[in-house]
């Protein structure tokens, strides 16, 4: 019986190839797009599953209440906690710490110099995080302070296909030379939140500074614990309270700890976490999942619409089957099997299309997803064939099986809600397409607004290079300024630090004494810069004088000058801030010498924060160079040449030359929006294509069914254009209804999305008009292309139809 149903289904596809192709194309496009998103969502949700027993591993998060009452969380804490957790809490199986560092340049024995991101780990690190080992044994890293471990990528850069274990690498700096021994090479899984190129023993950090204790040092140090297997690896509620107060053993009574599962780090980190570079976004997952479901159902709507509309062409077939004894249950099984066969063929084609599109999708989404047989893939296939197939074919099956055979042989038509259902499904498709178009339009409009808004500083033609040089800067700057295409140079923190404010998190309290003799305070963000920063970035000085950056004076004068922005001036609520002394940190005061116009050093999602420019040489590791737009490549080659000359002369100077443009870094702030805009555009085009496939099929079927009507109208004097207008008017009515529904829906989603930004573009009326016009225009072209041929046909041929 099943074999018979499959044969009938295949014959039906062959007999009505046009309509069946439209049905299957909708499925193929929808399911291929949805499958790509499905694989991506599964990949995002399984981050850090590369580590065995990941459900038992937690990262410690410091939680403290600021004097202002604000609760602040930070993943950086002290490494001494690892000993406390191991020795005083029996439920903790093990504990470890990692300290993230900067770029480090190592030199091979063949004098090849490569820079990589460094990290410092303790003896338990590779037991809790067993990275795949390609060479050596990671356990030996703590056998000697000069042992190191390389990532597989770093090892291949340095030694190619030759073994790395046993090789000697040299680091020169701070007046000394260290020779390191490679003891292992590990592979860093792409879905690990922990990433490094070079791993050193934790005890080797800061060994050049004799007499200094690093046990309380917390900058970029993350502590992890692994719970024992009891209770499914869950945190023990009884001991949780005492564990959260572990910092009290070091005198920090007011700072608590909470424990974040490593599975939550990628998608559920809501605080500043600058050491982790690959955070995901749960809102993006929800958005893409919703889009995938929409396109699947649009393909299902097409199938339901066309199958129901085609019912009139199968009345006699149903009548014959019923008269020969076929029961309704048998007919329902037959029609559902036809739907499942088409769903199966569509799914095979969709899987093939998915495999073809995966390389492009991986490049687009910056992932390494592959199509492999797994439970996730099996679930999707099962849902695609049974779920969508039955859902799409259920209404036509029940509708066709209920036809009265007597009515079928008389040439009649079954009355009911068929017409209303078809129009409703077509309207739903138009509503989805219009809403997606509105969302896409506002995302692109906001992106254009953010990328072109006046930030109060120059964004173009500023190049940033990492040097690690915070002393003797003047000579190197003068060498570069000899080139007439180099306009200005500023020494400062990394671009990402002062753009995102990560150099001081969300800011810190700055205190001063007001005119009433009372202490006042304001939270400000520190922007580390030198005296050339204002000119290089084109800031507007509105009061006072520029920042000074005298290297020698800095070490003798502990009350340096600072320049504040307008937001800080307004927040301080003083008539004239020039000359005021501010307590900028626990050990230093500073004098306000100038005020600059507000400049946007953060993402436009946030309002401009009170900030001050502060000169401290130790924080200045980058050169920000403003160059002329002409001869850009020649200027970059000149900078590289001078860079390489300096790298030879100075041991501390970074050896690898790399640069980035300020404008590119700004655009990276909106990587999430750019990803969303591209994906929305893709799904919008896909939704329009699927909707128009449905309209194409319906119009083709309608003109076929109404061939005699068209012939009679022409015999009675109707012109071809009038007949075309009749069909166009019918479908435009559906577009109009969809437009009325989609406008408030689109406005709601547009307003909701824009609410994430402090600075927003306007929701313009022309976006709605343009979206409606595009959908109406595409619909008219589709209908016109199908009906004009039939309307222009000789009426004699039309009346001879069938």
């Amino acid at each position: 019986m099943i074999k018979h149903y499959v044969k009938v289904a295949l014959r039906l596809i062959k007999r009505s190839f046009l309509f069946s192709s439209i049905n299957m194309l909708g499925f193929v496009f929808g399911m291929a797009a949805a499958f790509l998103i499905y694989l991506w969502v599964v990949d995002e949700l399984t981050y850090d599953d590369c580590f065995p027993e990941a459900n038992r591993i937690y990262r410690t998060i410091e939680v403290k209440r600021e004097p202002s009452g604000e609760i602040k969380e930070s993943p950086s804490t002290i490494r001494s906690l690892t000993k406390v957790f191991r020795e005083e809490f029996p439920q903790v199986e093990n504990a470890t710490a990692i300290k993230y560092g900067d770029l480090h340049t190592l030199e091979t024995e063949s004098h090849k110099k490569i820079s990589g991101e460094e990290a410092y780990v303790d003896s338990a690190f590779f037991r809790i995080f067993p990275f795949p080992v390609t060479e050596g044994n990671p356990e030996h890293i703590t056998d000697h302070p000069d042992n190191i471990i390389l990532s597989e990528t770093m090892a291949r850069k340095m030694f190619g296909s030759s073994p790395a274990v046993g090789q000697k690498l040299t680091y020169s700096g701070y007046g000394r030379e260290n020779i390191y021994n490679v003891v292992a090479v590990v592979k860093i899984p792409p879905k690990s939140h922990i990433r490094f190129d070079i791993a050193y023993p934790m005890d080797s950090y800061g060994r050049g500074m004799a007499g200094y204790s690093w046990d309380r040092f917390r900058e970029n140090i993350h502590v992890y614990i692994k719970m024992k297997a009891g209770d499914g690896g869950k945190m023990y509620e009884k001991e949780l309270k005492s564990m959260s107060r572990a910092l009290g053993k070091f005198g920090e009574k007011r700072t608590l700890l909470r424990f974040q599962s490593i599975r939550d780090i990628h998608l559920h980190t809501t605080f500043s976490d600058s050491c982790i570079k690959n955070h995901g976004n749960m809102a993006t997952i929800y958005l893409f999942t919703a889009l995938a479901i929409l396109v699947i159902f649009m393909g299902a709507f097409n199938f339901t619409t066309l199958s129901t509309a085609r019912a009139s062409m199968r009345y006699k077939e149903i009548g014959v089957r019923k008269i020969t004894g076929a029961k309704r249950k048998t007919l329902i099984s037959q029609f559902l099997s036809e739907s499942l066969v088409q769903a199966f063929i569509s799914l095979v084609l969709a899987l093939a299309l998915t495999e073809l599109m995966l390389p492009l999708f991986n490049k687009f989404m910056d992932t390494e997803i592959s199509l492999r047989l797994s439970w996730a893939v099996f679930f999707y296939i099962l849902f695609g064939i049974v779920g969508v197939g039955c859902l799409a074919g259920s209404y036509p099956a029940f509708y066709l099986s209920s036809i009265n055979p007597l009515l079928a042989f008389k040439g009649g038509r079954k009355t009911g809600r068929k017409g209303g259902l078809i129009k409703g499904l077509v309207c739903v498709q138009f509503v989805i397409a219009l809403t997606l178009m509105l969302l896409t339009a506002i995302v692109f409009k906001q992106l254009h607004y953010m990328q072109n808004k006046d930030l109060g500083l120059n964004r173009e033609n500023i190049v940033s290079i990492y040097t690690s040089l915070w002393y003797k800067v003047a000579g190197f700057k003068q060498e570069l300024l000899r080139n007439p295409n180099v306009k200005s140079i500023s020494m400062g923190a990394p671009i990402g630090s002062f753009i995102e404010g990560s150099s001081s998190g969300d800011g810190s309290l700055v205190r001063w004494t007001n005119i009433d003799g009372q202490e006042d305070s304001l939270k400000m963000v520190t922007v580390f810069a030198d005296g050339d920063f204002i000119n290089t970035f084109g800031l507007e000085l509105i009061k006072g004088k520029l920042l000074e950056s005298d290297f020698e004076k800095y070490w003798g004068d502990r009350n340096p000058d600072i320049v504040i922005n307008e937001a800080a001036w307004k927040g301080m609520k003083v008539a004239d801030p020039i000359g005021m002394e501010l307590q900028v940190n626990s050990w230093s005061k500073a004098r306000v010498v100038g005020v600059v116009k507000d400049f946007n050093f953060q993402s436009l999602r946030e309002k401009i924060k009170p900030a001050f420019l502060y000169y401290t040489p130790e924080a200045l590791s980058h050169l920000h160079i403003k160059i002329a737009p002409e001869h850009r490549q020649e200027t970059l080659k000149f900078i590289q040449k001078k860079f390489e000359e300096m790298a030879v002369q100075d041991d501390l100077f970074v050896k690898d030359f790399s640069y980035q443009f300020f404008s590119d870094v700004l655009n990276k702030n909106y990587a999430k929006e750019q990803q969303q805009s591209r994906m929305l555009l893709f799904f919008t085009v896909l939704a329009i294509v699927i909707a128009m496939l449905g309209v194409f099929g319906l119009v083709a079927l309608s003109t076929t069914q109404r061939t005699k009507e068209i012939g009679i109208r022409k015999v009675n004097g109707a012109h071809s254009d009038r007949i075309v207008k009749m069909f166009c008017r019918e479908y435009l009515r559906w577009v109009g209804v969809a437009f009325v529904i989609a406008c408030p829906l689109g406005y709601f989603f547009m307003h909701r999305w824009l609410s994430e930004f402090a600075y927003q573009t306007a929701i313009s009326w022309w976006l709605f008009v343009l979206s409606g016009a595009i959908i109406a225009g595409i619909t008219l072209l589709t209908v016109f292309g199908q009906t004009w041929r039939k309307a222009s046909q000789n009426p004699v041929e039309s009346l001879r139809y069938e």
Side-chain angles (χ1 to χ4, degrees):
M1 183 63 71
I2 295 176
K3 184 179 179 182
H4 169 71
Y5 288 159
V6 172
K7 282 185 177 181
V8 172
L10 293 174
R11 286 172 185 167
L12 179 65
I13 293 172
K14 185 178 180 181
R15 187 168 68 244
S16 305
F17 187 75
L18 174 65
F19 303 114
S20 299
S21 298
I22 292 172
N23 271 353
M24 288 191 290
L25 276 177
F27 268 128
V28 169
F29 292 151
M31 296 181 79
F35 196 20
L36 287 171
I37 297 302
Y38 178 78
L39 291 174
W40 177 76
V41 168
V42 170
D43 187 71
E44 287 286 291
L45 294 176
T46 54
Y47 231 81
D48 285 311
D49 277 4
C50 52
F51 299 117
E53 302 169 328
N55 62 311
R56 294 200 276 136
I57 304 172
Y58 297 83
R59 181 173 67 165
T60 61
I61 307 298
E62 285 194 6
V63 184
K64 64 173 66 175
R65 185 183 294 275
E66 296 287 317
S68 62
E70 179 186 1
I71 301 296
K72 188 175 181 179
E73 294 185 318
S74 171
S76 295
T77 187
I78 58 176
R79 68 182 189 180
S80 301
L81 280 173
T82 58
K83 184 178 180 182
V84 173
F85 286 133
R86 279 195 297 263
E87 295 179 355
E88 300 188 21
F89 297 98
Q91 70 272 27
V92 175
E93 181 179 300
N94 211 339
T96 187
I98 178 173
K99 194 241 180 281
Y100 294 97
D102 299 316
L103 278 175
H104 237 192
T105 303
L106 296 177
E107 184 178 359
T108 67
E109 292 178 298
S110 59
H111 305 293
K112 186 177 183 179
K113 297 177 180 178
I114 301 291
S115 297
E117 297 282 351
E118 63 176 350
Y120 296 83
V121 299
D122 64 12
S123 58
F125 181 79
F126 289 102
R127 289 194 287 273
I128 294 179
F129 298 105
F131 290 96
V133 180
T134 56
E135 292 183 50
N137 186 352
E139 296 285 339
H140 294 320
I141 188 172
T142 55
D143 291 352
H144 192 276
D146 291 329
N147 287 350
I148 62 170
I149 294 173
L150 301 180
S151 70
E152 186 179 42
T153 303
M154 187 72 173
R156 298 291 75 84
K157 284 181 182 179
M158 303 195 82
F159 306 108
S161 57
S162 301
V165 172
Q167 297 278 4
K168 304 293 183 182
L169 296 174
T170 304
Y171 171 76
S172 300
Y174 297 99
R176 56 187 173 84
E177 184 178 88
N178 285 352
I179 298 177
Y180 293 101
N181 179 46
V182 180
V183 296
V185 176
V186 297
K187 184 176 182 179
I188 309 295
K191 290 167 61 177
S192 165
H193 75 279
I194 298 174
R195 313 200 71 79
F196 58 85
D197 295 313
I198 313 159
Y200 299 92
M202 180 71 79
D203 291 335
S204 69
Y205 181 75
R207 59 179 171 173
M209 298 179 66
Y212 186 87
S213 174
W214 296 96
D215 289 341
R216 303 290 183 88
F217 185 74
R218 57 173 21 94
E219 182 179 352
N220 297 335
I221 292 180
H222 293 191
V223 172
Y224 296 85
I225 60 171
K226 183 176 182 180
M227 304 298 291
K228 289 185 177 177
D231 196 24
K234 296 179 181 178
M235 299 292 285
Y236 292 74
E237 293 296 332
K238 290 189 301 182
E239 291 86 354
L240 183 60
K241 185 175 180 180
S242 57
M243 288 175 65
S244 68
R245 299 183 181 277
L247 281 173
K249 298 183 179 296
F250 305 95
E252 300 183 32
K253 304 291 186 182
R254 298 177 61 84
T255 304
L256 299 178
L257 298 174
R258 76 173 180 88
F259 303 92
Q260 180 186 31
S261 171
I262 64 167
R263 285 179 166 175
D264 292 337
I265 292 174
H266 181 63
L267 292 174
H268 300 284
T269 298
T270 57
F271 44 83
S272 177
D273 192 7
S274 58
C275 294
I276 309 301
K277 309 296 184 184
N278 51 4
H279 283 299
N281 187 278
M282 205 65 200
T284 303
I285 288 181
Y286 290 143
L287 174 64
F288 290 177
T289 302
L291 292 175
I293 293 172
L294 283 177
V295 294
I296 282 183
F297 278 99
M298 285 189 74
F301 292 162
N302 263 1
F303 186 91
T304 302
T305 301
L306 292 176
S307 298
T308 307
R310 286 171 58 197
S312 59
M313 301 177 68
R314 302 184 67 182
Y315 282 157
K316 290 184 180 178
E317 174 194 341
I318 304 304
V320 170
R321 288 181 179 274
K322 283 200 166 186
I323 286 175
T324 54
K327 295 182 180 179
R328 189 181 181 191
K329 183 171 69 173
T330 305
L331 292 174
I332 291 173
S333 299
Q334 177 192 333
F335 295 128
L336 284 177
S337 67
E338 292 174 5
S339 174
L340 289 173
V341 167
Q342 291 199 36
F344 176 77
I345 295 173
S346 300
L347 188 64
V348 172
L349 295 174
L351 289 173
L353 183 60
T354 301
E355 183 68 26
L356 288 173
M357 292 177 64
L358 260 177
L360 183 63
F361 183 82
N362 282 331
K363 184 178 179 181
F364 171 68
M365 299 294 287
D366 192 25
T367 57
E368 297 180 18
I369 299 171
S370 59
L371 184 57
R372 295 189 298 267
L373 189 61
S374 63
W375 283 109
V377 175
F378 176 76
F379 173 80
Y380 181 86
I381 293 173
L382 187 65
F383 171 76
I385 296 176
V386 179
V388 178
C390 290
L391 179 66
S394 58
Y395 185 86
F398 286 98
Y399 169 75
L400 290 171
S401 63
S402 63
I403 292 174
N404 188 325
L406 182 61
L407 181 65
F409 283 116
K410 284 183 177 181
R413 298 287 184 268
K414 185 180 184 297
T415 59
R417 299 180 180 177
K418 174 170 71 77
L421 173 75
I422 293 174
K423 293 176 183 178
L425 292 179
V426 171
C427 279
V428 168
Q429 289 185 327
F430 282 142
V431 167
I432 294 172
L434 277 166
T435 305
L436 287 178
M437 188 173 290
L438 289 170
L439 270 174
T440 305
I442 200 64
V443 171
F444 274 98
K445 193 168 184 284
Q446 177 68 10
L447 265 177
H448 181 268
Y449 171 79
M450 291 187 296
Q451 292 170 352
N452 294 277
K453 186 181 184 298
D454 181 13
L455 302 178
L457 46 74
N458 294 332
R459 69 170 85 206
E460 301 298 332
N461 302 311
I462 295 179
V463 182
S464 175
I465 61 174
Y466 176 57
T467 66
S468 77
L469 189 67
W470 55 271
Y471 60 97
K472 298 181 182 178
V473 180
F476 185 48
K477 289 170 67 173
Q478 290 304 316
E479 280 293 317
L480 294 178
L481 287 169
R482 292 179 186 273
N483 189 318
N485 290 314
V486 176
K487 302 300 182 184
S488 179
I489 303 175
S490 171
M491 199 73 187
I495 286 181
S497 293
F498 67 79
I499 292 299
E500 299 170 2
S502 60
S503 59
S504 54
D506 295 324
S508 55
L509 278 181
V510 173
R511 296 180 173 84
W512 66 92
T513 303
N514 59 28
I515 56 175
D516 298 324
Q518 298 176 337
E519 185 181 90
D520 206 346
S521 63
L522 178 67
K523 203 168 189 180
M524 296 188 192
V525 175
T526 307
V527 180
F528 295 117
D530 68 1
D532 296 313
F533 182 89
I534 292 176
N535 288 331
T536 301
F537 285 91
L539 304 187
E540 183 180 338
L541 186 68
I542 59 177
K543 195 176 186 65
K545 64 178 184 178
L546 298 177
L547 186 70
E548 292 184 1
S549 53
D550 189 325
F551 183 82
E552 300 300 332
K553 183 181 176 183
Y554 171 79
W555 299 103
D557 183 7
R558 302 313 296 169
N559 294 328
D561 297 340
I562 62 172
V563 173
I564 64 175
N565 66 352
E566 280 184 291
W569 185 8
K570 292 175 183 175
M572 291 172 68
K573 299 177 182 177
V574 295
D576 186 359
I578 304 299
M580 290 183 62
E581 279 198 348
L582 308 182
Q583 187 78 40
V584 294
N585 49 49
S586 59
W587 65 87
S588 174
K589 290 185 177 182
R591 293 181 297 271
V592 179
V593 297
V595 180
V596 293
K597 189 175 180 180
D598 281 339
F599 61 97
N600 226 316
F601 51 85
Q602 293 179 306
S603 164
L604 293 182
R605 296 185 195 92
E606 303 177 55
K607 288 186 176 180
I608 293 176
K609 294 181 179 179
F612 63 93
L613 275 63
Y614 184 75
Y615 174 70
T616 173
E618 300 100 319
L620 309 183
S621 58
H622 284 64
L623 279 180
H624 308 302
I625 309 168
K626 185 176 182 180
I627 64 175
E630 304 85 10
H631 314 295
R632 177 182 286 191
Q633 291 304 318
E634 291 82 351
T635 307
L636 288 173
K637 288 180 181 177
F638 168 79
I639 294 171
Q640 181 175 1
K641 179 183 176 183
K642 292 299 179 182
F643 179 96
E644 291 171 350
E645 290 176 1
M646 188 69 181
V648 173
Q649 299 171 15
D650 195 308
D651 288 340
L652 289 181
F653 206 85
V654 173
K655 308 307 177 186
D656 281 348
F657 176 77
S658 62
Y659 67 90
Q660 54 184 343
F661 280 95
F662 179 65
S663 55
D664 293 338
V665 177
L666 278 177
N667 291 334
K668 286 180 183 177
N669 282 336
Y670 310 114
K672 183 184 79 170
E673 286 74 26
Q674 290 171 343
Q675 185 187 66
Q676 288 178 350
S677 66
R678 291 192 294 265
M679 190 59 71
L680 275 169
L681 180 61
F682 169 75
F683 275 104
T684 299
V685 172
L686 186 62
I688 292 173
V689 168
I690 293 175
M692 292 309 136
L693 280 173
V695 172
F696 180 88
L698 281 176
V699 174
L701 186 63
S702 181
T703 53
T704 301
Q705 292 174 336
R706 298 170 68 176
T707 300
K708 286 186 178 180
E709 176 191 340
I710 293 171
I712 292 172
R713 286 180 180 273
K714 293 205 71 176
V715 168
N716 287 315
H719 294 289
S720 297
D721 58 345
R722 188 173 179 181
I723 294 173
V724 171
K725 287 178 182 177
M726 177 185 68
F727 279 93
C728 288
R729 195 181 303 115
E730 181 179 349
Y731 285 90
L732 281 179
R733 191 181 301 121
W734 299 350
V735 174
V737 173
F739 181 76
V740 171
I741 298 172
C743 282
L745 271 177
Y747 182 86
F748 171 77
F749 288 121
M750 291 160 80
H751 187 270
R752 183 78 177 268
W753 185 79
L754 284 175
S755 64
E756 296 181 9
F757 299 89
Y759 302 94
Q760 307 170 2
T761 187
I763 302 178
S764 306
W765 61 268
W766 57 265
L767 291 176
F768 298 88
V769 175
L770 180 63
S771 300
I774 290 174
I775 292 293
I778 296 174
T779 304
L780 282 175
L781 287 174
T782 305
V783 176
F784 181 84
Q786 277 292 297
T787 56
W788 181 257
R789 184 174 57 85
K790 284 287 184 182
S792 303
Q793 187 174 301
N794 191 323
V796 175
E797 295 180 12
S798 300
L799 293 174
R800 285 177 178 174
Y801 178 70
E802 290 185 343

